[in-house]
Amino acid sequence: WILGVDIAVELSSLEDIAPSSGFFCYGEYFRHQSGKTYFFSQTMTVLSLSEGDSDTAAVTEDGYDPRLEESRQFRTMRVLHRLVETSTREIESINRELAKLASKDSLTGLVNRRLFDETFPKEIKRQNRSGAPMSLLLVDIDFFKQFNDIYGHLHGDDCLRGISQFFSKVLKRPSDTVARYGGEEFACIMPATNHENALKVAEDIRSGIEALALPHKGSAVSDHVTVSIGVLTLSGLIEVLPEELFNACDVLLYKAKQNGRNRIEGALFQKGGSEEICP
């Protein structure tokens, strides 16, 4: 129907293989509840049978086969086909780049909150299947509002970028996810990480950021930029909603702030009874 008389060009390769060929088509359909039928896909299997040598009578001495002569229409179709293929590849590449940009925080280059909210439930489900421990870290820059008030938002942006770059030095595993969750708040998902190791990573972050020695005259705890961290570890087969786990870790972060900042508060997650967090 599409090729018209040019179908002979497509069939010539089969004719060279065997004088007799047949085909079988298999299609998949879906009937919607509205009553409309949708066509999904189709496959075609071709069977060629030959009992002797291929018929090469049509080929001249110089190897020219008149059956392969393409019409102008056929050549145009081939050009259009290549154009569609090239355009499709370019569009797919652009879409992949756009997806990457949509999942990154433009200032820090870290994962943004949208991708974190997509990743977090998946990691919890994976933990529930394996039972391996998973830890969540919430990191907040101490007195960051005062930092912006004193040094200005441009220096505040530089501070955020510097801290974000430091995260990549501490959290090096491909499975770890570090996101800029809020203005000066960061969230770290650490699969297959027990509480002891999570606390070690948290201390590396806390002490490392303090060692950057970024001046902060507005801080009530130090002359330099510091962070407070909440560390929560989920282990065993405990079904928990993402917001439950996140809120429990947020309580630990708040506790770290209340207890003087520039410190870490950690706990294991425990569900049931009146207490959901246990030291």
Side-chain angles (χ1 to χ4, degrees):
W1 173 62
I2 297 176
L3 296 176
V5 295
D6 289 320
I7 191 66
V9 178
E10 290 294 295
L11 295 178
S12 60
S13 58
L14 294 177
E15 291 177 358
D16 289 341
I17 296 173
S20 300
S21 298
F23 68 90
F24 170 78
C25 288
Y26 172 79
E28 294 180 320
Y29 295 84
F30 169 72
R31 180 176 291 276
H32 192 264
Q33 59 184 5
S34 64
K36 187 174 181 180
T37 301
Y38 292 91
F39 177 64
F40 276 171
S41 63
Q42 175 183 305
T43 60
M44 182 175 72
T45 302
V46 178
L47 176 66
S48 298
L49 302 175
S50 176
E51 295 182 353
D53 296 334
S54 299
D55 181 14
T56 57
V59 181
T60 60
E61 293 181 358
D62 59 0
Y64 172 72
D65 189 344
R67 296 171 299 174
L68 300 181
E69 181 69 30
E70 293 184 356
S71 68
R72 181 178 179 182
Q73 176 189 0
F74 197 84
R75 289 194 299 270
T76 301
M77 290 179 64
R78 287 190 182 277
V79 172
L80 291 175
H81 176 69
R82 286 195 295 270
L83 178 62
V84 170
E85 276 192 330
T86 302
S87 300
T88 301
R89 286 195 298 269
E90 291 177 352
I91 291 172
E92 289 175 348
S93 176
I94 292 172
N95 286 338
R96 285 193 296 270
E97 291 300 318
L98 289 175
K100 290 180 182 178
L101 292 174
S103 64
K104 296 224 175 204
D105 176 65
S106 59
L107 176 64
T108 63
L110 297 176
V111 166
N112 61 20
R113 179 170 178 171
R114 184 186 67 83
L115 186 59
F116 174 87
D117 289 340
E118 292 177 1
T119 304
F120 194 35
K122 296 177 183 177
E123 292 298 340
I124 292 176
K125 288 181 179 178
R126 185 177 289 112
Q127 188 279 333
N128 284 338
R129 288 195 299 267
S130 65
M134 182 193 77
S135 294
L136 174 66
L137 278 63
L138 291 183
V139 183
D140 189 85
I141 302 176
D142 296 326
F143 301 106
F144 190 68
K145 181 183 182 301
Q146 289 81 350
F147 185 96
N148 279 330
D149 292 341
I150 295 173
Y151 300 99
H153 289 280
L154 289 179
H155 285 287
D157 290 346
D158 290 338
C159 176
L160 290 171
R161 278 191 286 264
I163 290 176
S164 299
Q165 291 173 2
F166 179 77
F167 277 115
S168 62
K169 297 179 181 179
V170 180
L171 299 167
K172 300 178 181 180
R173 299 185 308 175
S175 58
D176 295 334
T177 300
V178 185
R180 184 188 178 194
Y181 194 79
E184 68 274 13
E185 189 173 12
F186 303 88
C188 311
I189 307 171
M190 302 174 61
T193 304
N194 61 31
H195 194 59
E196 181 182 359
N197 289 330
L199 289 174
K200 289 179 181 178
V201 172
E203 175 56 25
D204 288 342
I205 293 173
R206 189 207 64 77
S207 60
I209 291 176
E210 188 176 28
L212 292 176
L214 301 172
H216 190 352
K217 295 179 181 179
S219 174
V221 296
S222 174
D223 294 333
H224 302 100
V225 172
T226 60
V227 294
S228 300
I229 306 176
V231 181
L232 187 68
T233 302
L234 175 67
S235 60
L237 301 177
I238 304 175
E239 290 191 8
V240 57
L241 295 175
E243 52 267 27
E244 288 183 90
L245 199 61
F246 189 91
N247 291 338
C249 192
D250 196 46
V251 170
L252 292 170
L253 175 60
Y254 180 77
K255 185 178 178 182
K257 293 180 180 180
Q258 289 294 103
N259 289 340
R261 303 180 189 254
N262 190 24
R263 60 181 291 119
I264 300 165
E265 291 291 341
L268 300 176
F269 183 83
Q270 189 176 51
K271 191 170 182 179
S274 58
E275 293 284 339
E276 288 197 352
I277 303 176
C278 65

